[in-house]
Coordinates of all heavy atoms in Angstrom, one line a residue:
Chain A
M1 N 82.5 57.0 78.0 CA 83.8 57.1 78.9 C 84.0 55.8 79.6 O 83.0 55.2 80.2 CB 83.5 58.3 79.8 CG 84.8 58.8 80.4 SD 84.4 60.0 81.7 CE 84.0 61.3 80.8
S2 N 85.2 55.3 79.6 CA 85.6 54.0 80.3 C 85.3 54.2 81.7 O 85.5 55.4 82.2 CB 86.9 53.6 79.8 OG 87.8 54.4 80.5
R6 N 86.4 57.4 84.1 CA 85.5 58.1 85.0 C 85.9 58.1 86.5 O 85.8 59.1 87.3 CB 84.1 57.2 84.9 CG 82.9 57.9 85.5 CD 81.6 57.1 85.5 NE 81.3 56.9 84.2 CZ 80.0 57.2 83.7 NH1 79.1 57.4 84.5 NH2 79.7 56.9 82.4
V9 N 88.6 60.7 86.8 CA 88.1 62.1 86.8 C 87.4 62.4 88.2 O 87.6 63.5 88.7 CB 87.1 62.2 85.7 CG1 86.2 63.5 85.9 CG2 87.7 62.3 84.4
C10 N 86.7 61.4 88.8 CA 85.9 61.6 90.0 C 87.1 61.8 91.1 O 87.1 62.7 92.0 CB 85.1 60.3 90.4 SG 83.7 60.2 89.4
A13 N 88.6 65.2 90.8 CA 87.7 66.3 91.3 C 87.6 66.2 92.8 O 87.5 67.3 93.5 CB 86.3 66.0 90.7
L17 N 88.5 69.2 95.4 CA 87.4 69.7 96.2 C 87.9 69.8 97.7 O 87.9 70.8 98.4 CB 86.3 69.0 96.1 CG 85.0 69.7 96.6 CD1 84.6 70.8 95.8 CD2 83.8 68.6 96.5
D82 N 82.8 95.1 110.1 CA 81.5 94.5 109.5 C 81.5 93.1 109.8 O 80.3 92.4 109.9 CB 81.4 94.6 108.0 CG 80.9 96.1 107.7 OD1 80.4 96.6 108.5 OD2 81.1 96.5 106.5
Y222 N 117.3 114.4 108.8 CA 116.3 115.4 108.6 C 115.4 115.6 109.9 O 115.4 114.6 110.6 CB 115.4 115.1 107.3 CG 116.3 115.1 106.0 CD1 117.1 114.2 105.7 CD2 116.1 116.2 105.2 CE1 117.9 114.3 104.4 CE2 116.9 116.4 104.0 CZ 117.7 115.3 103.7 OH 118.5 115.4 102.5
Q228 N 103.3 108.5 103.4 CA 102.6 109.0 102.4 C 101.0 108.9 102.4 O 100.5 108.0 103.1 CB 103.0 108.3 101.1 CG 102.4 106.9 100.8 CD 101.9 106.9 99.4 OE1 102.7 106.8 98.4 NE2 100.6 106.7 99.2
G229 N 100.5 109.7 101.6 CA 99.0 109.5 101.4 C 98.1 109.8 102.5 O 98.4 110.5 103.5
S230 N 96.8 109.3 102.4 CA 95.8 109.8 103.3 C 95.6 109.0 104.6 O 94.6 108.4 104.9 CB 94.4 109.8 102.5 OG 94.1 108.5 102.1
N231 N 96.7 108.9 105.2 CA 96.8 108.1 106.4 C 96.3 109.1 107.7 O 96.1 110.2 107.5 CB 98.1 107.6 106.8 CG 99.0 108.7 106.9 OD1 99.2 109.4 107.9 ND2 99.8 109.0 105.8
P291 N 107.7 119.8 102.8 CA 108.2 118.5 102.2 C 109.8 118.9 102.0 O 110.6 117.9 101.8 CB 107.5 118.6 100.8 CG 107.0 119.8 100.7 CD 106.7 120.5 102.0
I292 N 110.2 120.1 102.1 CA 111.6 120.3 101.8 C 112.4 119.8 102.9 O 113.5 119.3 102.8 CB 111.9 121.8 101.6 CG1 111.1 122.4 100.5 CG2 113.4 122.1 101.5 CD1 111.6 121.9 99.1
I293 N 111.9 120.0 104.2 CA 112.7 119.6 105.4 C 112.4 118.2 105.8 O 113.0 117.6 106.7 CB 112.5 120.4 106.6 CG1 111.0 120.3 107.0 CG2 112.9 121.9 106.3 CD1 110.6 121.1 108.4
A294 N 111.5 117.5 105.0 CA 111.2 116.0 105.4 C 112.3 115.1 104.8 O 112.9 115.5 103.8 CB 109.9 115.6 104.9
A295 N 112.5 114.1 105.5 CA 113.5 113.1 104.9 C 113.1 112.6 103.5 O 111.9 112.5 103.2 CB 113.6 111.9 105.9
P296 N 114.1 112.5 102.6 CA 113.9 112.1 101.3 C 112.9 110.9 101.2 O 113.2 109.9 101.9 CB 115.2 111.7 100.6 CG 116.2 112.6 101.5 CD 115.5 112.6 102.9
G297 N 112.0 110.8 100.2 CA 111.1 109.7 100.1 C 109.9 109.8 101.1 O 109.0 108.9 100.9
S298 N 109.7 110.7 101.8 CA 108.7 110.9 102.7 C 107.3 110.9 102.0 O 106.4 110.4 102.6 CB 108.8 111.9 103.7 OG 109.8 111.9 104.6
Q299 N 107.3 111.4 100.9 CA 106.0 111.6 100.2 C 105.5 110.4 99.5 O 104.4 110.3 99.1 CB 106.1 112.7 99.2 CG 106.2 114.1 99.8 CD 105.5 115.0 99.1 OE1 104.3 115.0 98.7 NE2 106.2 116.2 98.7
T300 N 106.4 109.3 99.5 CA 106.0 108.1 98.7 C 106.2 106.8 99.6 O 106.3 105.8 99.0 CB 106.7 108.0 97.3 OG1 108.1 108.1 97.7 CG2 106.3 109.1 96.4
Q301 N 106.4 106.9 100.8 CA 106.8 105.8 101.5 C 105.8 105.2 102.5 O 104.8 105.8 102.8 CB 108.1 106.1 102.6 CG 107.8 107.0 103.6 CD 109.1 107.4 104.3 OE1 110.1 107.0 103.9 NE2 108.9 108.3 105.2
T302 N 106.0 103.9 102.8 CA 105.0 103.3 103.6 C 105.3 103.6 105.1 O 106.4 104.1 105.4 CB 105.2 101.7 103.5 OG1 106.5 101.3 103.9 CG2 104.9 101.3 102.0
Q305 N 108.6 102.1 106.2 CA 109.8 102.9 105.8 C 110.1 104.1 106.7 O 111.1 104.4 107.0 CB 109.6 103.2 104.2 CG 109.8 102.0 103.4 CD 109.5 102.4 102.0 OE1 108.4 103.0 101.8 NE2 110.2 101.9 101.0
K309 N 113.2 105.1 109.2 CA 113.8 106.3 109.1 C 114.1 106.8 110.6 O 115.2 107.5 110.9 CB 113.3 107.4 108.2 CG 113.4 107.1 106.7 CD 113.0 108.3 106.0 CE 113.4 108.1 104.4 NZ 112.9 107.1 103.7
K316 N 121.6 108.6 107.3 CA 121.1 107.6 106.5 C 119.8 108.1 105.8 O 118.9 107.2 105.6 CB 120.9 106.2 107.2 CG 122.2 105.6 107.7 CD 122.2 104.1 107.6 CE 123.6 103.5 107.8 NZ 124.3 103.8 109.0
D317 N 119.8 109.4 105.5 CA 118.5 110.0 105.1 C 117.4 109.7 106.0 O 116.2 109.3 105.6 CB 118.2 109.4 103.6 CG 119.0 110.0 102.6 OD1 119.6 111.1 102.8 OD2 119.1 109.4 101.5
R503 N 77.3 114.5 110.7 CA 77.1 113.2 110.1 C 75.9 113.2 109.2 O 76.0 112.4 108.2 CB 77.0 112.2 111.3 CG 77.0 110.8 110.9 CD 77.0 109.9 112.1 NE 77.1 108.5 111.7 CZ 78.4 107.9 111.4 NH1 79.4 108.6 111.5 NH2 78.3 106.7 111.0
M508 N 82.2 114.0 106.5 CA 82.9 113.0 107.3 C 84.3 113.5 107.6 O 85.0 113.0 108.4 CB 82.8 111.7 106.6 CG 81.6 111.3 106.1 SD 80.3 111.1 107.5 CE 80.7 109.4 107.9
I512 N 86.2 120.0 103.7 CA 85.3 119.5 102.6 C 85.8 119.8 101.3 O 85.8 118.9 100.3 CB 83.9 120.0 102.6 CG1 83.4 120.0 104.1 CG2 83.0 119.2 101.8 CD1 83.5 118.7 104.8
S513 N 86.7 120.9 101.2 CA 87.2 121.2 99.8 C 88.5 120.4 99.5 O 88.8 120.3 98.3 CB 87.5 122.8 99.7 OG 88.6 123.0 100.7
T514 N 88.9 119.8 100.5 CA 90.1 119.0 100.1 C 89.9 117.6 100.8 O 89.5 117.5 102.0 CB 91.5 119.6 100.5 OG1 92.5 118.6 100.4 CG2 91.5 120.1 102.0
R515 N 90.3 116.6 100.2 CA 90.1 115.3 100.6 C 90.9 114.9 102.0 O 90.5 114.4 102.9 CB 90.6 114.2 99.5 CG 90.1 112.8 99.7 CD 90.0 112.1 98.2 NE 91.2 112.4 97.4 CZ 92.1 111.7 97.1 NH1 92.2 110.4 97.7 NH2 93.2 112.0 96.3
M519 N 97.8 115.9 102.8 CA 98.3 115.6 101.3 C 98.2 117.0 100.6 O 99.1 117.2 99.8 CB 97.3 114.6 100.8 CG 97.6 113.2 100.9 SD 96.4 112.0 100.3 CE 96.8 112.2 98.6
S523 N 101.4 118.9 98.8 CA 101.3 119.1 97.4 C 101.6 120.6 97.0 O 102.0 120.8 96.0 CB 100.0 118.6 96.7 OG 99.0 119.6 97.1
R525 N 103.7 122.4 98.5 CA 105.2 122.7 98.6 C 105.5 124.0 99.1 O 106.4 124.9 98.4 CB 105.8 122.3 97.3 CG 105.6 121.0 96.8 CD 106.4 120.6 95.7 NE 107.8 120.3 96.1 CZ 108.3 119.2 96.6 NH1 107.4 118.1 96.7 NH2 109.5 119.0 97.2
S531 N 116.3 123.4 99.0 CA 116.7 122.1 99.1 C 118.2 121.9 99.3 O 118.7 120.9 99.3 CB 116.3 121.3 97.8 OG 116.7 121.9 96.8
Q532 N 118.8 123.0 99.6 CA 120.3 122.9 99.9 C 120.7 123.1 101.3 O 121.7 123.3 101.7 CB 121.1 124.1 99.0 CG 121.4 123.7 97.5 CD 120.1 124.0 96.7 OE1 119.5 124.9 96.8 NE2 119.7 123.0 95.9
Chain B
Y17 N 75.3 55.1 74.0 CA 76.4 54.9 75.0 C 76.9 56.3 75.5 O 77.3 56.5 76.8 CB 77.5 54.1 74.3 CG 78.6 53.8 75.2 CD1 78.4 52.9 76.2 CD2 79.8 54.4 75.1 CE1 79.4 52.4 77.1 CE2 80.9 54.0 76.0 CZ 80.7 53.1 77.0 OH 81.8 52.9 77.8
E18 N 77.2 57.1 74.5 CA 77.8 58.4 74.9 C 76.7 59.2 75.8 O 77.1 60.0 76.6 CB 78.2 59.3 73.6 CG 79.5 58.8 73.0 CD 79.6 59.4 71.6 OE1 78.6 59.8 71.0 OE2 80.7 59.6 71.2
K20 N 74.8 58.3 78.0 CA 74.9 58.0 79.3 C 75.9 58.7 80.2 O 75.8 58.9 81.5 CB 75.4 56.6 79.4 CG 74.3 55.4 79.3 CD 74.9 54.0 79.5 CE 73.9 53.0 78.9 NZ 74.6 51.7 79.0
D21 N 76.9 59.3 79.5 CA 77.8 60.1 80.2 C 77.3 61.6 80.5 O 78.0 62.3 81.2 CB 79.2 60.3 79.4 CG 79.9 59.0 79.4 OD1 79.8 58.2 80.4 OD2 80.6 58.7 78.5
F24 N 76.8 62.8 84.1 CA 78.3 62.9 84.7 C 79.0 64.1 84.3 O 79.4 64.9 85.1 CB 79.0 61.6 84.4 CG 80.4 61.6 85.0 CD1 80.7 61.5 86.2 CD2 81.5 61.9 84.1 CE1 82.0 61.6 86.9 CE2 82.7 61.8 84.6 CZ 83.0 61.8 86.0
V25 N 78.9 64.4 83.1 CA 79.7 65.5 82.5 C 79.0 66.8 83.1 O 79.6 67.7 83.6 CB 79.7 65.6 81.1 CG1 80.1 66.9 80.5 CG2 80.5 64.4 80.6
L28 N 79.9 67.5 86.5 CA 81.3 68.1 86.6 C 81.5 69.6 86.4 O 82.2 70.3 87.1 CB 82.3 67.3 85.6 CG 82.8 66.0 85.9 CD1 83.9 65.5 84.8 CD2 83.8 66.2 87.3
I31 N 79.7 73.1 89.1 CA 80.4 74.1 90.0 C 81.0 75.3 89.1 O 80.7 76.4 89.5 CB 81.6 73.5 90.8 CG1 80.9 72.5 91.8 CG2 82.3 74.5 91.5 CD1 81.8 71.8 92.7
E73 N 82.5 119.1 88.1 CA 83.1 119.5 89.4 C 83.5 118.2 90.0 O 83.1 117.1 89.7 CB 82.1 120.3 90.3 CG 80.7 119.5 90.4 CD 79.7 120.4 91.1 OE1 79.5 121.4 90.4 OE2 79.1 119.9 92.1
F77 N 84.3 111.5 95.6 CA 85.6 111.2 96.0 C 86.7 112.1 95.6 O 87.9 111.9 95.5 CB 86.0 109.9 95.3 CG 84.9 108.7 95.6 CD1 83.9 108.4 94.8 CD2 84.9 108.1 96.9 CE1 83.0 107.4 95.0 CE2 83.9 107.2 97.2 CZ 83.0 106.8 96.3
T78 N 86.2 113.4 95.3 CA 87.0 114.6 94.9 C 87.8 114.4 93.6 O 89.0 115.0 93.3 CB 88.0 115.0 96.0 OG1 89.0 114.0 96.2 CG2 87.3 115.1 97.2
F79 N 87.3 113.5 92.7 CA 87.9 113.4 91.3 C 87.0 114.0 90.4 O 85.7 114.0 90.4 CB 88.2 111.9 91.1 CG 89.2 111.4 91.9 CD1 88.9 110.4 92.9 CD2 90.6 111.6 91.8 CE1 89.8 109.8 93.7 CE2 91.5 111.0 92.6 CZ 91.0 110.0 93.6
R140 N 108.3 100.5 92.1 CA 108.3 101.7 93.1 C 109.7 101.9 93.7 O 110.1 103.0 93.9 CB 107.3 101.4 94.3 CG 105.9 101.7 93.9 CD 105.0 101.3 95.1 NE 105.5 102.2 96.2 CZ 105.0 103.5 96.4 NH1 104.2 104.2 95.6 NH2 105.5 104.2 97.4
A144 N 112.0 105.2 93.3 CA 112.0 105.9 94.6 C 113.2 107.0 94.6 O 114.0 107.0 93.6 CB 112.2 104.9 95.7
Y145 N 113.3 107.6 95.7 CA 114.2 108.9 95.6 C 115.7 108.2 95.7 O 116.5 109.0 95.0 CB 114.1 109.6 96.9 CG 114.7 109.1 98.2 CD1 115.9 109.4 98.5 CD2 113.9 108.0 99.0 CE1 116.5 108.8 99.7 CE2 114.5 107.6 100.1 CZ 115.8 107.9 100.5 OH 116.3 107.3 101.6
N146 N 115.8 107.1 95.9 CA 117.1 106.6 95.9 C 117.3 105.3 95.0 O 118.2 104.5 95.1 CB 117.7 106.2 97.3 CG 116.8 105.2 98.0 OD1 115.8 104.9 97.5 ND2 117.2 104.7 99.3
D161 N 115.9 119.0 91.8 CA 116.2 118.6 93.2 C 114.9 118.1 94.0 O 114.7 117.1 94.8 CB 116.8 119.7 94.1 CG 118.2 120.1 93.5 OD1 118.8 119.1 93.0 OD2 118.6 121.2 93.8
Q162 N 113.9 118.8 93.7 CA 112.5 118.6 94.2 C 112.0 117.2 94.0 O 111.6 116.5 94.8 CB 111.5 119.6 93.6 CG 110.1 119.4 94.1 CD 109.2 120.4 93.5 OE1 109.5 121.6 93.3 NE2 108.0 119.9 93.1
I163 N 112.1 116.7 92.7 CA 111.6 115.4 92.4 C 112.7 114.3 92.9 O 112.2 113.3 93.3 CB 111.4 115.3 90.9 CG1 110.3 116.2 90.4 CG2 111.1 113.9 90.4 CD1 110.1 116.4 88.9
K164 N 113.9 114.6 92.8 CA 114.8 113.7 93.3 C 114.6 113.4 94.7 O 114.8 112.3 95.3 CB 116.2 114.3 93.1 CG 117.4 113.5 93.7 CD 117.6 112.2 93.2 CE 118.9 111.5 93.7 NZ 118.6 110.9 95.0
H165 N 114.2 114.4 95.5 CA 114.0 114.3 97.0 C 113.0 113.3 97.3 O 113.2 112.6 98.4 CB 113.5 115.6 97.5 CG 113.5 115.8 99.0 ND1 112.4 115.6 99.7 CD2 114.5 116.0 100.0 CE1 112.8 115.7 101.0 NE2 114.0 116.0 101.1
D166 N 112.0 113.1 96.6 CA 110.9 112.0 96.9 C 110.6 111.0 95.9 O 109.8 110.2 96.1 CB 109.7 112.8 97.2 CG 109.7 113.5 98.6 OD1 110.0 112.7 99.6 OD2 109.6 114.8 98.7
G167 N 111.3 111.1 94.8 CA 111.1 110.0 93.7 C 110.1 110.4 92.7 O 109.5 111.4 92.7
L168 N 110.0 109.6 91.6 CA 109.3 110.0 90.5 C 107.8 110.0 90.7 O 107.1 110.7 90.1 CB 109.6 109.1 89.2 CG 111.1 109.0 88.8 CD1 111.2 108.2 87.5 CD2 111.6 110.3 88.5
F169 N 107.4 109.3 91.6 CA 105.9 109.3 91.9 C 105.5 110.5 92.8 O 104.2 110.5 93.2 CB 105.6 108.0 92.6 CG 105.4 106.8 91.6 CD1 105.6 105.5 92.1 CD2 105.1 107.0 90.3 CE1 105.5 104.4 91.2 CE2 104.9 105.8 89.4 CZ 105.3 104.6 89.8
S170 N 106.4 111.3 93.2 CA 106.0 112.3 94.1 C 105.6 113.6 93.5 O 105.2 114.5 94.2 CB 107.2 112.6 95.0 OG 108.3 113.2 94.2
Y254 N 100.4 101.2 92.5 CA 101.6 102.0 92.3 C 101.4 103.3 93.2 O 102.4 103.7 93.8 CB 101.7 102.5 90.9 CG 102.4 101.6 90.1 CD1 101.8 101.1 88.9 CD2 103.6 101.1 90.2 CE1 102.3 100.3 87.9 CE2 104.3 100.2 89.3 CZ 103.5 99.8 88.2 OH 104.2 98.8 87.3
S255 N 100.2 103.8 93.3 CA 100.0 105.0 94.2 C 99.6 104.7 95.6 O 99.2 105.5 96.4 CB 99.0 105.9 93.4 OG 97.7 105.2 93.6
M256 N 99.7 103.4 95.9 CA 99.3 102.9 97.3 C 98.0 103.4 97.7 O 97.7 103.8 98.7 CB 100.4 103.4 98.3 CG 101.7 102.7 98.0 SD 103.0 103.4 99.0 CE 102.7 102.8 100.6
G257 N 97.0 103.2 96.7 CA 95.5 103.6 97.0 C 95.2 105.0 97.1 O 94.2 105.3 97.6
E258 N 96.2 105.9 96.6 CA 95.8 107.3 96.8 C 95.5 108.0 95.5 O 94.7 108.8 95.5 CB 97.1 108.0 97.4 CG 97.5 107.5 98.7 CD 96.6 107.8 99.8 OE1 95.6 108.7 99.5 OE2 96.5 107.1 100.8
G259 N 96.2 107.6 94.5 CA 96.0 108.2 93.1 C 96.4 109.7 93.1 O 96.0 110.5 92.3
G260 N 97.3 110.0 94.0 CA 97.7 111.4 94.0 C 98.7 111.8 92.9 O 99.2 110.9 92.2
N261 N 99.1 113.1 92.8 CA 100.0 113.6 92.0 C 99.6 113.2 90.5 O 100.4 112.9 89.7 CB 101.5 113.0 92.2 CG 102.0 113.6 93.5 OD1 101.8 114.7 93.9 ND2 102.5 112.5 94.3
F268 N 91.8 103.0 88.3 CA 92.0 103.4 89.7 C 90.8 103.8 90.4 O 90.4 103.4 91.6 CB 93.1 104.4 89.8 CG 93.1 105.2 91.1 CD1 93.9 104.6 92.2 CD2 92.3 106.3 91.5 CE1 93.9 105.2 93.4 CE2 92.4 106.9 92.6 CZ 93.2 106.3 93.7
Y272 N 89.2 102.6 93.8 CA 89.3 103.4 95.0 C 87.9 103.6 95.6 O 87.7 103.5 96.8 CB 89.9 104.8 94.5 CG 89.8 106.0 95.6 CD1 90.9 106.0 96.4 CD2 88.8 106.8 95.8 CE1 91.1 106.9 97.5 CE2 88.8 107.7 96.8 CZ 90.0 107.9 97.5 OH 90.1 108.9 98.5
A278 N 83.4 100.5 101.0 CA 83.4 99.4 101.9 C 83.9 99.8 103.3 O 83.4 99.2 104.3 CB 84.3 98.3 101.3
M280 N 83.8 103.2 104.5 CA 83.3 104.5 104.9 C 81.8 104.4 105.2 O 81.0 104.0 104.3 CB 83.6 105.6 103.8 CG 83.4 106.9 104.3 SD 83.4 108.2 103.0 CE 85.0 108.0 102.2
P281 N 81.3 104.6 106.5 CA 80.0 104.6 106.6 C 79.2 105.7 106.0 O 79.7 106.7 105.7 CB 79.9 104.9 108.2 CG 81.1 105.5 108.6 CD 82.2 105.1 107.6
G282 N 77.8 105.5 105.7 CA 77.0 106.4 105.1 C 77.2 106.6 103.6 O 76.7 107.5 103.0

Side-chain angles (χ1 to χ4, degrees):
Chain A
M1 193 185 292
S2 72
R6 195 184 288 234
V9 167
C10 286
L17 199 63
D82 279 345
Y222 292 78
Q228 79 132 65
S230 60
N231 57 81
I292 301 292
I293 64 169
S298 291
Q299 290 214 51
T300 53
Q301 67 188 358
T302 63
Q305 289 171 314
K309 285 188 164 69
K316 300 220 165 51
D317 289 337
R503 192 175 183 79
M508 312 298 274
I512 316 307
S513 62
T514 174
R515 198 157 41 105
M519 275 176 74
S523 73
R525 304 195 72 86
S531 53
Q532 280 79 49
Chain B
Y17 182 73
E18 285 170 330
K20 274 188 196 172
D21 286 329
F24 173 73
V25 171
L28 274 183
I31 289 177
E73 57 193 50
F77 306 103
T78 69
F79 293 107
R140 281 184 58 84
Y145 78 95
N146 56 353
D161 290 339
Q162 173 187 319
I163 297 174
K164 170 67 172 75
H165 190 261
D166 284 302
L168 298 187
F169 282 150
S170 67
Y254 281 123
S255 66
M256 294 173 68
E258 300 295 340
N261 295 317
F268 162 86
Y272 182 86
M280 195 190 297

